[in-house]
Amino acid sequence: MKTRIGNGIARLISGVALSAGLGAAAFADDLKIGMVVTLSGPPAALGQQIVDGFQLALDQKDGELGGQKIELIVEDDELKPDVALLKATSLVERDEVDFVVGTVFSNMLQAIFKPVVKSGTFLISPNAGPSTFAGKNCHPDFFVTSYQNNQNAETAGMIANEEGFKSVFTMVPNYQAGRDNVAGFAKTFDGKVTNEVFTPLGHQDFSAELAQISTSGADALFTFMPGGMGVRLVKQFETSGLGDSMKFMSVFTTDETTLPGQKDAAVGFLSAGTWAPDMKNDANEAFVSAFEKKYGYIPGSYAMQAYDTAMLLDSAIASTGGDMSDRDAVRAAIKAADFTSVRGDFSFSNNHYPVQDFHMLKVVKRDDGKFHTSFVRNIVEDYADSFHQDCKM
C-alpha cells in the first residue's frame, strides 16, 4: 500500500474517512513488490536465482514480510535497457508498487534508476552495484544488498598479491560492471596488468582473446564473464591448454549459475566474493538446505542476495508496522538492516551500499557430483566501497 503524490499517481485516504475515525490500517492492501530481472537468453539463470531466492523467503513466511501480505510482480527485462525502462515504469505507474527489486545487470539498473526513484518508490538492487550511484549520485531511496561492483575485483587483486602473481591479463565485457571490475582489480593489484581487453556483452567466441592471452606472458587471467559468457570462456580456456601455464581467477564467472555447464573444467579456479554455499553459520546452513530441497540446485550469490533482500524488507516492514506513509521511517528501517544475513556481518554505509567481509573462494566438486564455490579464507573484513566518501547522505 502506498500513498504518493506526483506524476498523476496518487492513492489518497479521504479526509472524510479519517474524520469518521477510520485509521490507515482500515485501508491497508497487500504490499506490492515489483521485481525486474533478466529471465531471457543465456543470463536467465541469474535472474531465476534472484526470483527463487526471494520466493523462498516469502514461502517460509507464508507469503508475508513484516507481517504484511505481499503481492510479488516479476518482470523480465530481456537484457534490453528499453524493455527494462518500460517494465519498471509500468510497475510504478500502473501497479503502484511499494518497492522495486532489481536488477541483475548494471546497465539495466542504469535504465530504471531515475524513473523508479523519481516516482517516490524505494529501489533495492539484489545484484547490480555500479559505481554510478555509489558516490555523488547516491540517492536516499536506493539501496544495494549485494556489493559495489569494484569491491569483488579489488578483493581479487588482493588475492593475486597473496598468491604471488606478478603479471595478470584482464578481460571483461564492455559495459558498466565490466569497467568497474577492471578499475577495481587495478586499484589493489601490485603487479603488472599486461592487457585490458573489453569484449561485447554476450560474447561467444573467445579464440582471438585466448590467442592474445597465450602470448601475454601473464601469470594469471582475471576475468568477469557472468552467465553464458562464463560457461563458454571456461570451456574454451580448457580446450586451449592455457591452464597448464597460468592460473584462472575471476568474479561471477565460475559460480553456481555457470558451474553446471562448466563442470570439471572449472575445478580449482579461484574467485573473490562475499559468500559461498559452504560457509559455516546457522543461517546460511539453513538457507542452503532449504533452497536445495525446494529447487533442486545449489544456490549461488544471486539467490543468496535476493533472500537477504527479502529478509531486509521483512525487518523494515515489521519495524514500521507496514505503514508506507512515513517515508523517513521506512527509509530508516531499511538503513538499520536489522536482520541476520546468511553471509554474516552486514550493514549499510552512508551511500546505502553494504559494508561486509570478502573472501577467497575456490571451485570444488561434491561427492554427489555437483559443483560449487567453496570458502578458502577471509581476505578483508568490514569492507566499505571507495565511493561512499563522495556521497553526501
Side-chain angles (χ1 to χ4, degrees):
M1 180 184 67
K2 174 166 55 181
T3 300
R4 247 186 324 177
I5 302 175
N7 299 322
I9 306 168
R11 273 193 288 178
L12 303 178
I13 300 174
S14 73
V16 174
L18 289 176
S19 66
L22 296 178
F27 295 88
D29 301 318
D30 292 353
L31 292 181
K32 292 184 178 182
I33 297 176
M35 180 176 286
V36 182
V37 291
T38 304
L39 294 170
S40 298
L46 284 60
Q48 191 60 56
Q49 286 225 4
I50 290 175
V51 175
D52 290 348
F54 199 94
Q55 188 63 55
L56 175 64
L58 277 178
D59 291 346
Q60 290 177 337
K61 294 182 172 293
D62 298 322
E64 297 183 349
L65 293 179
Q68 304 294 313
K69 281 293 183 182
I70 299 297
E71 179 182 351
L72 178 64
I73 305 169
V74 179
E75 298 285 1
D76 178 11
D77 62 34
E78 302 175 22
L79 199 54
K80 299 175 182 177
D82 57 334
V83 174
L85 175 60
L86 179 66
K87 297 294 181 66
T89 302
S90 177
L91 286 171
V92 298
E93 292 187 355
R94 182 194 66 194
D95 298 308
E96 298 189 50
V97 298
D98 299 285
F99 303 93
V100 171
V101 174
T103 58
V104 179
F105 291 90
S106 293
N107 53 341
M108 299 301 103
L109 182 64
Q110 289 172 320
I112 74 170
F113 182 84
K114 285 186 179 180
V116 173
V117 298
K118 282 187 174 181
S119 74
T121 307
F122 290 103
L123 175 59
I124 318 289
S125 174
N127 190 67
S131 58
T132 320
F133 309 121
K136 63 181 181 179
N137 294 320
C138 61
H139 194 282
D141 293 338
F142 175 60
F143 292 82
V144 176
T145 58
S146 52
Y147 44 75
Q148 194 280 310
N149 289 342
N150 300 52
Q151 289 181 293
N152 292 285
E154 289 170 6
T155 304
M158 299 174 197
I159 293 171
N161 295 334
E162 291 185 7
E163 294 295 298
F165 302 152
K166 303 301 181 186
S167 59
V168 174
F169 188 109
T170 63
M171 181 170 64
V172 297
N174 189 18
Y175 78 113
Q176 186 64 51
R179 294 187 290 273
D180 284 346
N181 275 282
V182 164
F185 186 83
K187 178 181 174 66
T188 58
F189 179 50
D190 294 333
K192 177 184 177 182
V193 174
T194 63
N195 301 73
E196 289 185 355
V197 171
F198 295 87
T199 73
L201 187 60
H203 197 49
Q204 298 186 37
D205 183 3
F206 292 93
S207 56
E209 291 81 10
L210 291 169
Q212 282 184 271
I213 295 170
S214 67
T215 59
S216 67
D219 299 325
L221 167 67
F222 168 73
T223 187
F224 160 69
M225 288 288 169
M229 293 182 293
V231 174
R232 289 186 289 269
L233 174 59
V234 167
K235 287 186 171 182
Q236 292 171 37
F237 184 87
E238 179 189 37
T239 302
S240 73
L242 282 170
D244 296 333
S245 59
M246 67 187 311
K247 294 291 186 179
F248 188 108
M249 62 183 306
S250 70
V251 292
F252 308 109
T253 304
T254 55
D255 63 21
E256 285 69 28
T257 66
T258 58
L259 287 171
Q262 295 161 341
K263 302 186 186 303
D264 291 287
V267 171
F269 284 4
L270 304 179
S271 62
T274 63
W275 171 89
D278 61 359
M279 287 181 64
K280 302 299 182 185
N281 67 68
D282 291 344
N284 187 55
E285 290 174 352
F287 161 68
V288 173
S289 176
F291 188 98
E292 196 166 357
K293 180 179 180 180
K294 180 175 178 63
Y295 298 112
Y297 68 92
I298 302 173
S301 60
Y302 304 94
M304 176 276 291
Q305 291 154 187
Y307 185 83
D308 268 3
T309 299
M311 292 305 184
L312 168 69
L313 291 177
D314 177 63
S315 68
I317 293 167
S319 176
T320 60
D323 180 6
M324 295 296 295
S325 64
D326 187 344
R327 294 184 56 78
D328 290 338
V330 176
R331 189 180 301 109
I334 299 172
K335 177 70 183 295
D338 187 18
F339 74 104
T340 301
S341 170
V342 302
R343 75 196 84 173
D345 292 343
F346 179 99
S347 62
F348 284 115
S349 187
N350 64 298
N351 62 354
H352 297 172
Y353 281 63
V355 178
Q356 59 193 323
D357 298 348
F358 286 80
H359 319 290
M360 176 176 167
L361 313 176
K362 182 173 68 174
V363 176
V364 299
K365 185 176 183 178
R366 285 196 328 198
D367 291 341
D368 63 2
K370 293 183 179 180
F371 300 83
H372 67 90
T373 54
S374 179
F375 174 83
V376 177
R377 64 176 182 267
N378 179 260
I379 300 298
V380 60
E381 296 181 352
D382 297 328
Y383 194 37
D385 70 271
S386 56
F387 297 90
H388 75 94
Q389 56 197 351
D390 298 323
C391 173
K392 302 307 180 184
M393 290 194 296

